[in-house]
């Protein structure tokens, strides 16, 4: 099991093992992370900046249903190289954003917790800027590198300067969200239904 560190910065994917891919397919990845504070920040930021948005693309959704939150946006597209999220309201497209073409830029492009996995993060980040008029990115902020690096991450630690370099420009806004109770997925489950030891 990989350790999830409690700070996330808001502002080609490396090979995924079968266990990680199974977590996306089963929905367990989302269930273990859906109550993280940084998702509340993403929701709030989206409600502030995308009130008049008519289209949205999310890159690297990993079968996570957060795009359902943005139900005022009529056109929502999830793109993932392996398992895009799809529903009655969200179009899922399996593919590589470097091999895909769209007839126009989307009003909003989101990419949450993906850049740290991409070997050519600068090329990928600049492709995001082509896909959306407004781009919202999140990365794990200053997670340890080296021997403590999280499995699948190829760029830890990621800080604001590194992200700025990848994007080729400074952010209009940025915030670092620190999860107050760590990651729920990394904590042991209660031993009884009431959360108290038997």
């Amino acid at each position: 099991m990989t350790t999830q560190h409690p700070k996330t910065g808001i502002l080609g994917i490396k090979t995924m093992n079968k266990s990680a891919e199974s977590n996306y397919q089963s929905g367990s990845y989302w269930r273990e992370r859906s109550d993280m504070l940084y998702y509340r920040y993403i929701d709030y930021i989206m409600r502030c900046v995308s009130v008049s948005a008519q289209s949205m693309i999310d890159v690297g959704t990993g079968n996570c249903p957060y795009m359902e939150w943005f139900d005022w946006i009529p056109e929502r597209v999830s793109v993932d190289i392996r398992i895009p999220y799809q529903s009655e309201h969200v179009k899922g497209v399996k593919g590589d954003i470097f091999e895909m073409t769209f007839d126009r830029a989307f009003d909003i492009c989101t990419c949450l917790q993906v850049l740290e996995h991409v070997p050519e993060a600068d090329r990928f980040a600049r492709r995001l800027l082509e896909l959306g008029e407004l781009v919202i990115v999140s990365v794990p902020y200053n997670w340890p590198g080296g021997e403590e690096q999280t499995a699948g991450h190829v760029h830890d630690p990621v800080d604001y300067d590194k992200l700025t370099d990848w994007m080729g420009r400074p952010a209009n806004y940025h915030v670092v969200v620190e999860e107050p109770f760590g990651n729920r997925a990394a904590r042991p489950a209660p031993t009884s239904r009431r959360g108290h030891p038997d």
Side-chain angles (χ1 to χ4, degrees), residues 32-190:
E32 293 171 353
R33 291 159 180 81
S34 63
D35 64 348
M36 293 181 75
L37 184 60
Y38 105 87
Y39 282 117
R40 305 290 76 88
Y41 274 79
I42 293 293
D43 184 41
Y44 177 74
I45 290 168
M46 284 290 293
R47 289 176 188 283
C48 291
V49 301
S50 68
V51 171
S52 61
Q54 295 298 301
S55 63
M56 172 186 183
I57 186 170
D58 181 83
V59 179
T61 312
N63 199 30
C64 296
Y66 52 80
M67 291 185 77
E68 298 292 348
W69 298 343
F70 316 123
D71 59 358
W72 68 90
I73 302 173
E75 181 187 5
R76 288 170 280 163
V77 177
S78 162
V79 175
D80 195 284
I81 201 162
R82 290 182 185 79
I83 306 166
Y85 176 76
Q86 60 186 356
S87 73
E88 178 183 343
H89 308 288
V90 178
K91 178 181 178 182
V93 179
K94 184 175 181 177
D96 182 331
I97 63 169
F98 293 116
E99 297 172 4
M100 302 173 85
T101 57
F102 300 95
D103 59 355
R104 56 160 170 63
F106 291 81
D107 294 329
I108 302 281
C109 174
T110 55
C111 184
L112 312 178
Q113 305 298 95
V114 175
L115 283 168
E116 66 276 7
H117 297 277
V118 180
E120 292 182 82
D122 55 346
R123 181 172 171 241
F124 194 90
R126 295 186 189 175
R127 177 67 175 132
L128 297 174
L129 293 171
E130 295 170 0
L131 293 175
E133 297 293 328
L134 178 68
V135 177
I136 298 173
V137 171
S138 71
V139 294
Y141 183 76
N142 271 338
W143 287 14
E147 290 182 18
E148 294 181 51
Q149 186 162 315
T150 300
H153 289 197
V154 295
H155 296 292
D156 290 340
V158 178
D159 60 14
Y160 179 73
D161 291 336
K162 186 181 281 188
L163 185 57
T164 300
D165 199 42
W166 291 343
M167 301 304 288
R169 56 161 296 204
N172 296 337
Y173 172 78
H174 69 277
V175 63
V176 175
V177 178
E178 188 167 355
E179 297 293 330
F181 305 109
N183 178 11
R184 182 174 66 107
R187 295 193 303 264

